[in-house]
Amino acid sequence: MRFREPSAWQIYRIQILIVAAVILLQAGSITWLVYEQRRRLAAELVTREAMFELTQMNRIAGAGELSASIAHEVNQPLAAIALNAGAALNWLKAKTPNLEEARDALIRVVSDSHRAGHIITSLRALFRKDTEQKGSVEINKVILTVLELVRIELEKYDIAVHTQFDDGLPPMTGSEVQLQQVVLNLVMNAKEAVQSAPLPRELRVESERTADGGVQVSVEDSGAGISPSDLPRIFQPMFTTKPNGMGMGLAICRSIVEAHDGRIWAEARAGAGSAFRFSLPADGT
Ligand code: ADP
């Protein structure tokens, strides 16, 4: 009995207690981390849903602003179709029908109806609900679709658009609808910035390849520019200097560009307008 071996508990009590405390502490912090992670994911989900709702609202507001321009875009080919179809009928009704002229008029009818169809397709795409759908994106096509939609709106204010596209841009993947939304917001802001400026009122929209192999789009205007004190805040939600502004356009642009792993920024050109640029990585970069 006198020489009974002391138990492990008696020898290592302190160490066992320390190890148990460490294990308990670790288990506690892991549980806490998992809980925090869940909470963050839930919060991110709510933010994403809210952003999605806002993007939809922004798109609908944009559609409202553009409705006159869109109606005109659709009406133009329809009016041309009616005119050319009438002309074809007249050529056919004549005592000696002029088949050649009738054929030419009908060719114009076909091409105008394709044009009307194309406009409707791009509108449908712009207001589609499944905006998250990703695929291969041709950024020059995105820009051209937007410029087609705003053409009349720009003409109304005597605003000239200069474009410069890089035709050899690398392939990239993204949501075409969301990127159209970004370009549309930037072009509409640029339009608002120049519409009351003295003539000449100019916008410049460019696409180019970045040094690291990605794609960069710039929308520049000759408006009043942005004051240095506003510049750090313009991408914040609800920041607006317009009496009826929502202040969501640029925040939405930033969230879309960042969801595409890109970057968006503004440069104010002192007294000579502003430039908004965003860059996106190409496939495999
Ligand atoms: P909103 O257009 O509703 O104000 P935005 O988020 O699109 O919301 O823009 C936020 C603010 O950024 C605008 O109110 C304006 O002050 C400034 N801004 C945006 N684009 C331009 C631009 N092209 N030129 C000058 N200021 C601009």
Side-chain angles (χ1 to χ4, degrees), residues 189-190 192-193 221 225-226 234 239-242 245-251 274 276:
N189 273 346
E192 281 165 19
D221 64 69
I226 306 165
I234 53 172
F239 176 80
T240 182
T241 54
K242 300 172 192 169
M246 276 215 294
M248 286 310 299
L250 289 178
S274 31
F276 283 80

Side-chain angles (χ1 to χ4, degrees), residues 26-40:
Q26 268 188 346
S29 56
I30 288 170
T31 317
W32 183 75
L33 277 177
V34 168
Y35 168 74
E36 272 300 301
Q37 169 87 346
R38 287 243 170 93
R39 243 171 41 126
R40 228 194 48 221

Side-chain angles (χ1 to χ4, degrees), residues 16 34 38 43 86 94 107-108 150 197 202 220 233 238 248:
I16 291 173
V34 168
R38 287 243 170 93
I107 288 174
R108 288 195 292 275
V150 298
E202 291 178 340
E220 298 174 29
R233 295 189 292 161
M238 318 290 250
M248 286 310 299

